[in-house]
Amino acid sequence: MERPNETSPVTGFILLGLSAHPKLEKTFFVLILAMYLVTLLGNAVLLLVTIFDPHLHTPMYFFLGNLSFLDICYTTSSVPLILDSFLTPRKTISFSGCAIQMFLSFAMGATECVFLGMMAFDRYVAICNPLRYPVVMSKATYVPMAVSSWAAGITHSVVQTSLAMRLPFCGDNAINHFTCEILAVLKLACADISINVLSMGVANVIFLGASVLFISSSYVFILGTILRIPSAEGRKKAFSTCSAHLTVVTIFYGTILFMYGKPKSKDPLGADKQDLADKLMSLFYGVLTPTLNPIIYSLRNKDVKAAVRNLVAQ
């Protein structure tokens, strides 16, 4: 996909954001700022209680604390940039700044995929093999699981970001997005991007396909075990221990599969309404999901509620 009459390589990018829809910018600025503050507060509280409350020093809450820290990092890597784009016409970002932002977003997103799989395994062992749970999910097991999740996400991000940013970008440097979203960036490359498309396809299979398959398989066994519980109260109690995780998984993977299930460098529709819908869907994934996570995990969780009350009382 070589372009004739190439100009000098770009040293920065322009983030278009909602510049084509200026009437929406102020409304979304207030909305996204409020959601960002709720995200920081909710996840920070959840992280603190999982660290300082001894009753929450279990594998499930250890993973939950990691997930809260991850959500804080993910939103902080993109939301301030998004808010600034609502206030600044033709927001610019340097080439290195774009690479850093892309790396952080990719690392956090991929790591969360793995973490949700690890949490599904934790719920599987707790419900299907409760007597062996303390042995299987010992500290010697769940800490390396968390470390490997972070390592996998960071490695994936290094590969994808380096492949994207090594491409030559010349001529048009306007990214039709709020942030340095990789598909929007690839549209600006004046070179063959087949390797990028292939690597993203492989990554989708590993981080999306394999994770969804693993989580689905875990919940098939979990559901089978729950249905075999004789009492209705027992079934309700067992299901309540994994309902929050299942809700988060549905929201997270439902949104991310919609956006990244098909790695494309060009939007086949090319319509303004489709571009706006894609941007807003990305915004939903990047902001709303981390906002909902602490709410979902604490809404019906007596342990978390008690830990929060103790933290506030102190």
Side-chain angles (χ1 to χ4, degrees), residues 59-79:
M60 181 179 73
Y61 293 112
F62 175 77
F63 288 131
L64 186 55
N66 274 266
L67 189 64
S68 295
F69 177 71
L70 187 150
D71 282 339
I72 292 173
C73 293
Y74 179 78
T75 52
T76 303
S77 73
S78 58
V79 172

Side-chain angles (χ1 to χ4, degrees), residues 12-210:
F13 298 98
I14 297 172
L15 300 174
L16 297 181
L18 289 177
S19 57
H21 307 274
K23 293 182 179 179
L24 297 176
E25 290 186 318
K26 291 183 178 179
T27 301
F28 273 94
F29 175 83
V30 175
L31 179 63
I32 299 304
L33 177 60
M35 292 171 63
Y36 179 52
L37 294 177
V38 171
T39 298
L40 292 181
L41 177 62
N43 283 288
V45 169
L46 205 52
L47 177 60
L48 288 175
V49 297
T50 58
I51 292 175
F52 293 110
D53 193 309
H55 299 95
L56 301 185
H57 290 175
T58 64
M60 181 179 73
Y61 293 112
F62 175 77
F63 288 131
L64 186 55
N66 274 266
L67 189 64
S68 295
F69 177 71
L70 187 150
D71 282 339
I72 292 173
C73 293
Y74 179 78
T75 52
T76 303
S77 73
S78 58
V79 172
L81 192 63
I82 294 172
L83 293 174
D84 193 24
S85 71
F86 290 147
L87 301 178
T88 307
R90 296 178 67 83
K91 168 66 181 175
T92 59
I93 184 171
S94 66
F95 190 87
S96 59
C98 185
I100 293 172
Q101 193 274 319
M102 182 186 294
F103 166 78
L104 290 173
S105 295
F106 250 118
M108 299 303 109
T111 303
E112 185 158 358
C113 284
V114 184
F115 259 120
L116 290 175
M118 299 293 186
M119 295 172 77
F121 177 75
D122 173 74
R123 293 298 83 205
Y124 161 76
V125 178
I127 294 175
C128 299
N129 296 282
L131 297 180
R132 298 196 63 216
Y133 183 77
V135 177
V136 176
M137 294 302 296
S138 64
K139 190 173 183 179
T141 301
Y142 67 77
V143 171
M145 287 171 65
V147 172
S148 64
S149 299
W150 283 101
I154 291 172
T155 301
H156 165 63
S157 184
V158 169
V159 172
Q160 297 299 335
T161 304
S162 59
L163 285 176
M165 303 312 288
R166 70 172 179 81
L167 293 169
F169 299 95
C170 38
D172 186 12
N173 67 335
I175 298 176
N176 190 22
H177 213 276
F178 301 106
T179 62
C180 290
E181 198 269 345
I182 191 166
L183 299 182
V185 172
L186 290 180
K187 292 180 182 180
L188 308 181
C190 49
D192 181 29
I193 61 169
S194 57
I195 294 179
N196 301 79
V197 174
L198 177 62
S199 66
M200 288 184 65
V202 172
N204 283 342
V205 171
I206 296 173
F207 286 92
L208 295 180

Side-chain angles (χ1 to χ4, degrees), residues 46 64 67 119 244-245 248 293-299 301 304:
L46 205 52
L64 186 55
L67 189 64
M119 295 172 77
H245 176 259
V248 169
N293 283 352
I295 298 174
I296 293 171
Y297 276 108
S298 60
L299 194 60
N301 192 310
V304 173

